[in-house]
Amino acid sequence: MVTQLAREAGAYVIGTGRAADRRAALDFGAREFVDLENDTLEDVGGVDLVFDVIGGGIGQRSAGLVRAGGTLVSITGPPPARPADGLAIDFVVVPDRAQLGEIAQRVRDGRLRTVIGDVAPLDDAVAALNPAERVRGKTIIRVRP
């Protein structure tokens, strides 16, 4: 979703991930894609913003991609490194009913797409959220039958 929202705001998006994720990243609006197993992340160069959803070593390396005055945002915890002459932000989601309503409306209107991986009833929530195998897409827990 962040790729789609960034593109809607006018950003030039460079996606990163495994080779198998390339098509999805480009379909969701990334202009370029860096295969973290086969490409050199550092070849991307100075960017205005890194939105890190992976953390660890990738988060550490991503700090070096941020140009002076740019920002590194991490959703995996406090960024392990700070960009030189830039900001590092530990992004924590705070539920906001109006924002969630806007996202839901964008999904209904087709302006925002998502990948649903699994839909499970509330009684199966623990198992659904802790799958034995990797599930592509988001897991939805159905509260009402």
Side-chain angles (χ1 to χ4, degrees):
M1 285 188 175
V2 72
T3 298
Q4 295 171 81
L5 293 170
R7 281 296 305 273
E8 186 177 301
Y12 183 95
V13 178
I14 302 170
T16 60
R18 297 178 185 93
D21 298 325
R22 178 184 302 273
R23 177 65 3 225
L26 296 173
D27 286 348
F28 279 118
R31 298 269 180 99
E32 296 179 45
F33 184 82
V34 176
D35 174 351
L36 295 173
E37 296 170 339
N38 299 303
D39 299 331
T40 304
L41 180 62
E42 290 73 13
D43 287 348
V44 169
V47 299
D48 296 318
L49 175 75
V50 170
F51 192 81
D52 177 31
V53 299
I54 299 173
I58 297 300
Q60 179 95 21
R61 292 168 56 201
S62 294
L65 305 177
V66 178
R67 68 157 180 77
T71 306
L72 169 64
V73 177
S74 173
I75 67 167
T76 65
R82 299 183 86 64
D85 300 321
L87 297 173
I89 298 173
D90 179 13
F91 182 78
V92 177
V93 175
V94 176
D96 181 299
R97 186 180 189 100
Q99 288 177 343
L100 290 172
E102 172 63 22
I103 289 171
Q105 188 60 49
R106 287 175 186 222
V107 170
R108 281 192 293 272
D109 294 347
R111 293 181 290 148
L112 191 58
R113 295 179 295 136
T114 188
V115 176
I116 307 296
D118 190 18
V119 178
L122 184 58
D123 290 345
D124 298 335
V126 172
L129 295 171
N130 296 291
E133 301 176 355
R134 184 170 188 242
V135 176
R136 292 188 75 74
K138 299 297 179 190
T139 298
I140 295 175
I141 305 302
R142 190 177 49 231
V143 178
R144 296 182 192 125

PDB file of all heavy atoms in Angstrom, residues 50-71:
ATOM      1  N   VAL A  50      13.681   6.762   2.494  1.00  0.00           N
ATOM      2  CA  VAL A  50      13.655   5.294   2.519  1.00  0.00           C
ATOM      3  C   VAL A  50      12.590   4.912   3.524  1.00  0.00           C
ATOM      4  O   VAL A  50      12.595   5.388   4.661  1.00  0.00           O
ATOM      5  CB  VAL A  50      15.015   4.693   2.944  1.00  0.00           C
ATOM      6  CG1 VAL A  50      14.881   3.205   3.207  1.00  0.00           C
ATOM      7  CG2 VAL A  50      16.074   4.955   1.892  1.00  0.00           C
ATOM      8  N   PHE A  51      11.650   4.064   3.095  1.00  0.00           N
ATOM      9  CA  PHE A  51      10.623   3.533   3.986  1.00  0.00           C
ATOM     10  C   PHE A  51      10.982   2.068   4.189  1.00  0.00           C
ATOM     11  O   PHE A  51      10.720   1.233   3.326  1.00  0.00           O
ATOM     12  CB  PHE A  51       9.232   3.699   3.360  1.00  0.00           C
ATOM     13  CG  PHE A  51       8.111   3.448   4.316  1.00  0.00           C
ATOM     14  CD1 PHE A  51       7.708   4.427   5.199  1.00  0.00           C
ATOM     15  CD2 PHE A  51       7.463   2.230   4.341  1.00  0.00           C
ATOM     16  CE1 PHE A  51       6.662   4.197   6.092  1.00  0.00           C
ATOM     17  CE2 PHE A  51       6.423   1.984   5.225  1.00  0.00           C
ATOM     18  CZ  PHE A  51       6.030   2.976   6.101  1.00  0.00           C
ATOM     19  N   ASP A  52      11.619   1.758   5.300  1.00  0.00           N
ATOM     20  CA  ASP A  52      12.164   0.430   5.566  1.00  0.00           C
ATOM     21  C   ASP A  52      11.140  -0.455   6.257  1.00  0.00           C
ATOM     22  O   ASP A  52      10.717  -0.179   7.375  1.00  0.00           O
ATOM     23  CB  ASP A  52      13.421   0.555   6.422  1.00  0.00           C
ATOM     24  CG  ASP A  52      14.017  -0.784   6.802  1.00  0.00           C
ATOM     25  OD1 ASP A  52      13.883  -1.744   6.017  1.00  0.00           O
ATOM     26  OD2 ASP A  52      14.610  -0.877   7.892  1.00  0.00           O
ATOM     27  N   VAL A  53      10.764  -1.546   5.571  1.00  0.00           N
ATOM     28  CA  VAL A  53       9.831  -2.517   6.145  1.00  0.00           C
ATOM     29  C   VAL A  53      10.526  -3.837   6.427  1.00  0.00           C
ATOM     30  O   VAL A  53       9.875  -4.799   6.829  1.00  0.00           O
ATOM     31  CB  VAL A  53       8.601  -2.742   5.230  1.00  0.00           C
ATOM     32  CG1 VAL A  53       7.821  -1.454   5.033  1.00  0.00           C
ATOM     33  CG2 VAL A  53       9.018  -3.328   3.894  1.00  0.00           C
ATOM     34  N   ILE A  54      11.840  -3.894   6.206  1.00  0.00           N
ATOM     35  CA  ILE A  54      12.600  -5.133   6.389  1.00  0.00           C
ATOM     36  C   ILE A  54      13.438  -5.103   7.659  1.00  0.00           C
ATOM     37  O   ILE A  54      13.484  -6.056   8.417  1.00  0.00           O
ATOM     38  CB  ILE A  54      13.494  -5.415   5.160  1.00  0.00           C
ATOM     39  CG1 ILE A  54      12.622  -5.568   3.916  1.00  0.00           C
ATOM     40  CG2 ILE A  54      14.351  -6.658   5.384  1.00  0.00           C
ATOM     41  CD1 ILE A  54      13.395  -5.682   2.619  1.00  0.00           C
ATOM     42  N   GLY A  55      14.132  -4.005   7.912  1.00  0.00           N
ATOM     43  CA  GLY A  55      14.972  -3.867   9.097  1.00  0.00           C
ATOM     44  C   GLY A  55      16.289  -4.610   8.985  1.00  0.00           C
ATOM     45  O   GLY A  55      16.729  -4.972   7.894  1.00  0.00           O
ATOM     46  N   GLY A  56      16.920  -4.861  10.122  1.00  0.00           N
ATOM     47  CA  GLY A  56      18.182  -5.598  10.173  1.00  0.00           C
ATOM     48  C   GLY A  56      19.246  -4.994   9.294  1.00  0.00           C
ATOM     49  O   GLY A  56      19.424  -3.773   9.238  1.00  0.00           O
ATOM     50  N   GLY A  57      19.965  -5.865   8.590  1.00  0.00           N
ATOM     51  CA  GLY A  57      21.057  -5.423   7.730  1.00  0.00           C
ATOM     52  C   GLY A  57      20.594  -4.523   6.599  1.00  0.00           C
ATOM     53  O   GLY A  57      21.312  -3.596   6.201  1.00  0.00           O
ATOM     54  N   ILE A  58      19.412  -4.785   6.076  1.00  0.00           N
ATOM     55  CA  ILE A  58      18.888  -3.937   4.998  1.00  0.00           C
ATOM     56  C   ILE A  58      18.616  -2.536   5.532  1.00  0.00           C
ATOM     57  O   ILE A  58      18.929  -1.539   4.883  1.00  0.00           O
ATOM     58  CB  ILE A  58      17.611  -4.551   4.371  1.00  0.00           C
ATOM     59  CG1 ILE A  58      17.922  -5.899   3.725  1.00  0.00           C
ATOM     60  CG2 ILE A  58      16.977  -3.591   3.369  1.00  0.00           C
ATOM     61  CD1 ILE A  58      18.944  -5.858   2.607  1.00  0.00           C
ATOM     62  N   GLY A  59      18.068  -2.435   6.724  1.00  0.00           N
ATOM     63  CA  GLY A  59      17.841  -1.126   7.339  1.00  0.00           C
ATOM     64  C   GLY A  59      19.150  -0.382   7.545  1.00  0.00           C
ATOM     65  O   GLY A  59      19.239   0.819   7.301  1.00  0.00           O
ATOM     66  N   GLN A  60      20.147  -1.109   7.980  1.00  0.00           N
ATOM     67  CA  GLN A  60      21.480  -0.526   8.197  1.00  0.00           C
ATOM     68  C   GLN A  60      22.033   0.021   6.887  1.00  0.00           C
ATOM     69  O   GLN A  60      22.501   1.152   6.814  1.00  0.00           O
ATOM     70  CB  GLN A  60      22.412  -1.602   8.757  1.00  0.00           C
ATOM     71  CG  GLN A  60      23.821  -1.154   9.005  1.00  0.00           C
ATOM     72  CD  GLN A  60      24.042  -0.733  10.425  1.00  0.00           C
ATOM     73  OE1 GLN A  60      23.299  -1.117  11.319  1.00  0.00           O
ATOM     74  NE2 GLN A  60      25.045   0.071  10.646  1.00  0.00           N
ATOM     75  N   ARG A  61      21.975  -0.784   5.831  1.00  0.00           N
ATOM     76  CA  ARG A  61      22.497  -0.367   4.529  1.00  0.00           C
ATOM     77  C   ARG A  61      21.671   0.758   3.913  1.00  0.00           C
ATOM     78  O   ARG A  61      22.191   1.603   3.188  1.00  0.00           O
ATOM     79  CB  ARG A  61      22.542  -1.565   3.581  1.00  0.00           C
ATOM     80  CG  ARG A  61      23.580  -2.591   4.000  1.00  0.00           C
ATOM     81  CD  ARG A  61      23.450  -3.899   3.274  1.00  0.00           C
ATOM     82  NE  ARG A  61      23.508  -3.762   1.819  1.00  0.00           N
ATOM     83  CZ  ARG A  61      23.036  -4.674   0.989  1.00  0.00           C
ATOM     84  NH1 ARG A  61      22.465  -5.776   1.452  1.00  0.00           N
ATOM     85  NH2 ARG A  61      23.125  -4.494  -0.320  1.00  0.00           N
ATOM     86  N   SER A  62      20.377   0.773   4.202  1.00  0.00           N
ATOM     87  CA  SER A  62      19.493   1.782   3.633  1.00  0.00           C
ATOM     88  C   SER A  62      19.833   3.186   4.108  1.00  0.00           C
ATOM     89  O   SER A  62      19.602   4.161   3.389  1.00  0.00           O
ATOM     90  CB  SER A  62      18.035   1.463   3.973  1.00  0.00           C
ATOM     91  OG  SER A  62      17.631   0.270   3.345  1.00  0.00           O
ATOM     92  N   ALA A  63      20.369   3.306   5.298  1.00  0.00           N
ATOM     93  CA  ALA A  63      20.732   4.629   5.818  1.00  0.00           C
ATOM     94  C   ALA A  63      21.711   5.334   4.886  1.00  0.00           C
ATOM     95  O   ALA A  63      21.659   6.550   4.708  1.00  0.00           O
ATOM     96  CB  ALA A  63      21.321   4.510   7.220  1.00  0.00           C
ATOM     97  N   GLY A  64      22.589   4.570   4.255  1.00  0.00           N
ATOM     98  CA  GLY A  64      23.569   5.148   3.342  1.00  0.00           C
ATOM     99  C   GLY A  64      22.993   5.612   2.021  1.00  0.00           C
ATOM    100  O   GLY A  64      23.671   6.286   1.251  1.00  0.00           O
ATOM    101  N   LEU A  65      21.747   5.265   1.741  1.00  0.00           N
ATOM    102  CA  LEU A  65      21.110   5.674   0.489  1.00  0.00           C
ATOM    103  C   LEU A  65      20.474   7.049   0.578  1.00  0.00           C
ATOM    104  O   LEU A  65      20.169   7.658  -0.435  1.00  0.00           O
ATOM    105  CB  LEU A  65      20.011   4.673   0.104  1.00  0.00           C
ATOM    106  CG  LEU A  65      20.404   3.209  -0.015  1.00  0.00           C
ATOM    107  CD1 LEU A  65      19.170   2.377  -0.338  1.00  0.00           C
ATOM    108  CD2 LEU A  65      21.478   3.024  -1.055  1.00  0.00           C
ATOM    109  N   VAL A  66      20.266   7.533   1.795  1.00  0.00           N
ATOM    110  CA  VAL A  66      19.523   8.775   2.010  1.00  0.00           C
ATOM    111  C   VAL A  66      20.425   9.979   1.762  1.00  0.00           C
ATOM    112  O   VAL A  66      21.492  10.106   2.357  1.00  0.00           O
ATOM    113  CB  VAL A  66      18.940   8.811   3.444  1.00  0.00           C
ATOM    114  CG1 VAL A  66      18.201  10.114   3.695  1.00  0.00           C
ATOM    115  CG2 VAL A  66      18.019   7.617   3.667  1.00  0.00           C
ATOM    116  N   ARG A  67      19.992  10.863   0.873  1.00  0.00           N
ATOM    117  CA  ARG A  67      20.751  12.070   0.555  1.00  0.00           C
ATOM    118  C   ARG A  67      20.714  13.042   1.742  1.00  0.00           C
ATOM    119  O   ARG A  67      19.883  12.895   2.645  1.00  0.00           O
ATOM    120  CB  ARG A  67      20.186  12.733  -0.688  1.00  0.00           C
ATOM    121  CG  ARG A  67      18.784  13.299  -0.438  1.00  0.00           C
ATOM    122  CD  ARG A  67      18.423  14.398  -1.411  1.00  0.00           C
ATOM    123  NE  ARG A  67      17.095  14.904  -1.152  1.00  0.00           N
ATOM    124  CZ  ARG A  67      16.769  15.743  -0.159  1.00  0.00           C
ATOM    125  NH1 ARG A  67      17.667  16.169   0.687  1.00  0.00           N
ATOM    126  NH2 ARG A  67      15.517  16.145   0.000  1.00  0.00           N
ATOM    127  N   ALA A  68      21.597  14.015   1.736  1.00  0.00           N
ATOM    128  CA  ALA A  68      21.619  15.036   2.788  1.00  0.00           C
ATOM    129  C   ALA A  68      20.244  15.705   2.859  1.00  0.00           C
ATOM    130  O   ALA A  68      19.674  16.084   1.838  1.00  0.00           O
ATOM    131  CB  ALA A  68      22.696  16.072   2.499  1.00  0.00           C
ATOM    132  N   GLY A  69      19.712  15.785   4.059  1.00  0.00           N
ATOM    133  CA  GLY A  69      18.394  16.375   4.266  1.00  0.00           C
ATOM    134  C   GLY A  69      17.252  15.390   4.088  1.00  0.00           C
ATOM    135  O   GLY A  69      16.097  15.745   4.297  1.00  0.00           O
ATOM    136  N   GLY A  70      17.555  14.136   3.709  1.00  0.00           N
ATOM    137  CA  GLY A  70      16.518  13.130   3.500  1.00  0.00           C
ATOM    138  C   GLY A  70      16.148  12.417   4.790  1.00  0.00           C
ATOM    139  O   GLY A  70      16.640  12.752   5.874  1.00  0.00           O
ATOM    140  N   THR A  71      15.301  11.416   4.671  1.00  0.00           N
ATOM    141  CA  THR A  71      14.755  10.737   5.844  1.00  0.00           C
ATOM    142  C   THR A  71      14.725   9.231   5.661  1.00  0.00           C
ATOM    143  O   THR A  71      14.367   8.736   4.592  1.00  0.00           O
ATOM    144  CB  THR A  71      13.315  11.236   6.113  1.00  0.00           C
ATOM    145  OG1 THR A  71      13.326  12.662   6.221  1.00  0.00           O
ATOM    146  CG2 THR A  71      12.749  10.641   7.382  1.00  0.00           C
TER     147      THR A  71
END
